[in-house]
Amino acid sequence: MLFIDNKYLTWYSAIIFRAQTRQRPEGYTETHHVIPTSLYKNKANNLDSDPDTLKNLAVLTAREHYICHKLLTKITQGRNRYLMIHALWRMSNTNTRGQRHQITGTEYQKNRVLLAEARKEIPAWNKGIPRTAEEKAKIGAKIKEKFAKDGNGHLGKKRSAETRAKMSEKRKGKSSWNKGVPRDEA
């Protein structure tokens, strides 16, 4: 099921129904996808139709639009929930068409914590998939090609003894970034 059946879904549906059956509101409005386009792009949802149909669009005020995105984070789960939290985060922190959603510091913090927690729940797409030697060689060749083409700011530079001494002095007393990190068998 795409949405969780709870009170937030009822609230979301009421806002959408009201928006789709009323006259266009005065002043600033935003077009909202009832089923967000990111859920159409997620192949696990099996949504094949066009997200830009009139049934899937609602004209909302800026406040209603923000509330709908808050509600979407409460009626989705798994990868879909992560996508909705990310959309809410982008909406809260992006200036589009000269408009910016004004949120309080508390709202900002809540949204930021929500996004961080959602990221922890979703594993990386390639986690646990070992790379073959051929794949590693291919990736290495691409990186070398990129550095040969674009250049690496430090690759191939010879530093003077004075510069090396300064770098060494600066690092003294600091532990290595990988100190205490256990090494794997490979």
Side-chain angles (χ1 to χ4, degrees):
M1 184 174 216
L2 195 59
F3 295 128
I4 300 169
D5 189 15
N6 57 20
K7 67 180 180 182
Y8 304 112
L9 179 60
T10 307
W11 297 352
Y12 180 75
S13 300
I15 293 170
I16 297 302
F17 179 76
R18 189 174 131 228
Q20 289 179 330
T21 56
R22 70 178 175 204
Q23 293 290 324
R24 187 181 186 97
E26 293 289 321
Y28 178 75
T29 59
E30 298 175 347
T31 303
H32 173 71
H33 287 87
V34 178
I35 298 175
T37 53
S38 59
L39 298 187
Y40 277 89
K41 292 175 185 173
N42 186 356
K43 290 183 172 87
N45 294 329
N46 294 323
L47 297 171
D48 295 330
S49 61
D50 182 22
D52 294 328
T53 59
L54 287 177
K55 283 186 351 185
N56 195 40
L57 297 174
V59 177
L60 304 173
T61 64
R63 183 171 186 233
E64 288 173 333
H65 197 196
Y66 184 76
I67 291 168
C68 280
H69 276 275
K70 288 278 290 183
L71 292 171
L72 280 167
T73 66
K74 297 177 182 293
I75 62 175
T76 52
Q77 57 189 354
R79 175 88 178 141
N80 292 342
R81 182 171 181 266
Y82 170 75
L83 292 170
M84 294 302 95
I85 291 170
H86 189 263
L88 177 66
W89 176 251
R90 291 290 304 261
M91 178 183 226
S92 302
N93 296 290
T94 305
N95 186 356
T96 58
R97 294 182 283 167
Q99 301 293 323
R100 184 174 181 101
H101 296 276
Q102 297 294 325
I103 60 170
T104 64
T106 306
E107 266 308 295
Y108 176 87
Q109 181 179 357
K110 285 179 186 175
N111 293 347
R112 188 67 182 101
V113 168
L114 199 60
L115 181 64
E117 289 171 355
R119 279 190 181 139
K120 288 179 189 174
E121 293 174 10
I122 304 297
W125 66 270
N126 61 350
K127 186 173 176 99
I129 301 172
R131 296 196 185 274
T132 63
E134 184 180 308
E135 288 174 321
K136 289 178 184 178
K138 198 175 191 180
I139 291 168
K142 277 189 180 180
I143 291 171
K144 286 177 187 172
E145 181 182 318
K146 182 185 181 304
F147 283 142
K149 180 182 171 191
D150 300 335
N152 179 350
H154 301 286
L155 191 65
K157 284 194 174 178
K158 302 286 183 196
R159 294 184 174 88
S160 68
E162 181 184 346
T163 302
R164 290 194 309 259
K166 283 182 183 178
M167 290 168 65
S168 174
E169 195 62 38
K170 193 174 182 180
R171 289 289 309 152
K172 284 189 179 164
K174 295 180 181 177
S175 63
S176 176
W177 66 270
N178 61 351
K179 184 175 183 176
V181 176
R183 295 180 182 213
D184 60 351
E185 294 292 324

